[in-house]
Amino acid sequence: MPQKRRSQSWMELKQAGNQCFRAGQYGEAVTVYSQSIQQLEKSGQKENEDLAILYSNRAASYLKDGNCKECIKDCTESLKLVPFGYKALLRRASSYEALERYRHAYVDYKTVLQIDWNIPAAHDGVNRMTKALANIDGPAWREKLPPIPSVPMSVKESRAQAAGSASSLQQNSMVDNTKKAPGPAAVKKAKALKEQGNAFVWKGDHKAGMEKYTESLGQDPTEVTTYTNRALCYLSLKMYKEAVSDCDEALLMDSANIKAFYRRAQAYKELKNKESCIKDLNSVLKIDPNNIAAQKLLQEAQNMK
C-alpha cells in the first residue's frame, strides 16, 4: 500500500479503490474504500449519496472476494443511506443467493425489477430463485416470502432518467456493468453471429470464434453464454486475463454460472493465482458436487506451488 495514502482526501481514496478494483485487487480495494469512508465521515461534509456509493463499492469488492456476509452488511448500510439503490440491491441479492438465502435474494431481485425492468441480471436472478424456491417449498413457495417493498414512483422516474443518459450509465462502471436490453433485431443478429462463432470453435478455429463472439456482444451485451464462449476462446489463445474479464462479466449477470466459475478457475491457474483458482472451483462444486472436471482441476490447483 502506498505510504501516503492515509493523507489523501476521501475522493482520492475512492478513486484509488476504483483502480484497485479494476486491477482485480479486491482485498486492497476493501482497505482503501474503508479509509475513504472514514475520511468522509470525519470531514463533516458527509453526503448520504457519496457514503452510500462507497459502501456499495466496498460491497462489490467483498462480493468479488467471496465475502458474502460483509457484502450484505455494506449493501444494507448503503440502502439505509439511499433506499432502493439498484446496484446495492443486486449485490446483496447475489450474496444472499450464494449463501442459499433464496427468499431474501428473490425479494431483492424483484425490487430491482420494480426500479428498472431492463436489467437482465435481475430477470435471471428471479428465474433462478423461482426454480430454487419451488423445489424447496413446493407450489406454496410464494407464501413463505418476506414482504416485497413497493418502490416509489420518484425512484423509478429517477432511474429512467439516468438510464437515458450515457454519462449516468457509465458512472461507477468499475463495480457493475448493467446493460440495457437490446431490441429484437439486435438479438437476432447477435444470435446469428454467436452461431457462426460456435461453428468456428467446433472446427478448432478459436481466433475466428473469438472475433465472431465479439461482434455478437456488440449487438447484444446481455447474453451470458456468449461471454463464457468467448472466455473459452481466450483460454485456447492463452489470453488468460481476457478470459477472467469475460467470466467476471458473466458472473455479474448470473452469479451461479458454472462455466464462468470453471473457466475463470482455468485462467487463474495459468496466471498462477492459486487462491482465486481454488475459490472458483469450490464455487463450482458447491453448485455441482459431482463435477468431475472441477474435482480434477481442484486437485491440480491444490498441488500448485
Side-chain angles (χ1 to χ4, degrees), residues 249-282:
E249 290 289 340
L251 288 164
L252 279 174
M253 291 183 278
D254 178 3
S255 62
N257 191 296
I258 289 179
K259 286 185 178 179
F261 276 126
Y262 182 74
R263 288 173 184 168
R264 192 169 68 175
Q266 290 178 298
Y268 278 140
K269 181 174 181 288
E270 297 301 327
L271 292 168
K272 310 300 181 186
N273 189 336
K274 179 178 178 178
E275 183 179 351
S276 295
C277 177
I278 291 174
K279 186 180 293 184
D280 277 353
L281 292 169
N282 283 331

Side-chain angles (χ1 to χ4, degrees), residues 16-272:
N18 294 352
Q19 291 174 356
C20 290
F21 189 97
R22 292 191 188 100
Q25 299 168 346
Y26 305 123
E28 177 72 358
V30 166
T31 299
V32 183
Y33 285 137
S34 297
Q35 292 178 5
S36 182
I37 290 169
Q38 291 172 2
Q39 288 277 27
L40 181 55
E41 289 178 335
K42 288 178 182 177
S43 70
Q45 302 173 2
K46 177 174 69 171
E47 293 290 341
N48 280 2
E49 187 172 350
D50 292 328
L51 198 55
I53 289 171
L54 286 172
Y55 274 114
S56 185
N57 286 2
R58 189 171 71 175
S61 304
Y62 279 132
L63 181 60
K64 284 282 193 178
D65 219 22
N67 193 338
C68 294
K69 290 183 179 179
E70 290 302 319
C71 176
I72 290 169
K73 287 181 183 179
D74 271 5
C75 289
T76 302
E77 285 299 318
S78 179
L79 291 163
K80 286 178 184 176
L81 293 162
V82 178
F84 303 109
Y86 78 96
K87 291 185 178 181
L89 284 165
L90 274 176
R91 290 169 200 134
R92 191 170 69 176
S94 293
S95 292
Y96 278 141
E97 182 176 353
L99 294 173
E100 300 182 2
R101 296 173 66 180
Y102 299 136
R103 297 186 187 97
H104 288 83
Y106 179 89
V107 169
D108 278 353
Y109 283 130
K110 287 290 283 186
T111 304
V112 171
L113 289 180
Q114 288 187 67
I115 298 167
D116 186 345
W117 185 254
N118 292 312
I119 297 182
H123 281 288
D124 293 340
V126 166
N127 290 337
R128 289 193 306 274
M129 296 307 94
T130 298
K131 292 176 183 176
L133 290 169
N135 288 334
I136 295 169
D137 296 329
W141 65 270
R142 292 180 187 274
E143 298 174 9
K144 299 182 180 181
L145 289 172
I148 299 176
S150 179
V151 177
M153 184 57 67
S154 59
V155 173
K156 299 177 185 179
E157 290 173 350
S158 177
R159 171 59 189 161
Q161 291 173 0
S165 167
S167 60
S168 294
L169 282 174
Q170 292 172 357
Q171 186 178 14
N172 295 315
S173 62
M174 82 292 167
V175 181
D176 112 48
N177 292 321
T178 302
K179 300 172 176 63
K180 189 174 180 180
V187 170
K188 184 177 180 180
K189 188 172 182 180
K191 184 177 179 181
L193 288 164
K194 178 186 172 185
E195 288 173 353
Q196 292 174 32
N198 292 346
F200 279 120
V201 170
W202 276 107
K203 294 176 184 177
D205 190 343
H206 291 92
K207 185 175 185 299
M210 177 267 291
E211 292 169 351
K212 287 298 177 183
Y213 291 140
T214 300
E215 290 182 50
S216 178
L217 289 168
Q219 296 294 321
D220 180 4
T222 69
E223 178 53 53
V224 175
T225 56
T226 310
Y227 283 105
T228 54
N229 287 1
R230 189 171 67 172
L232 176 64
C233 294
Y234 282 140
L235 286 168
S236 296
L237 296 168
K238 298 184 179 181
M239 299 170 67
Y240 302 120
K241 291 182 179 179
E242 289 81 358
V244 168
S245 179
D246 268 8
C247 292
D248 286 345
E249 290 289 340
L251 288 164
L252 279 174
M253 291 183 278
D254 178 3
S255 62
N257 191 296
I258 289 179
K259 286 185 178 179
F261 276 126
Y262 182 74
R263 288 173 184 168
R264 192 169 68 175
Q266 290 178 298
Y268 278 140
K269 181 174 181 288
E270 297 301 327
L271 292 168
K272 310 300 181 186

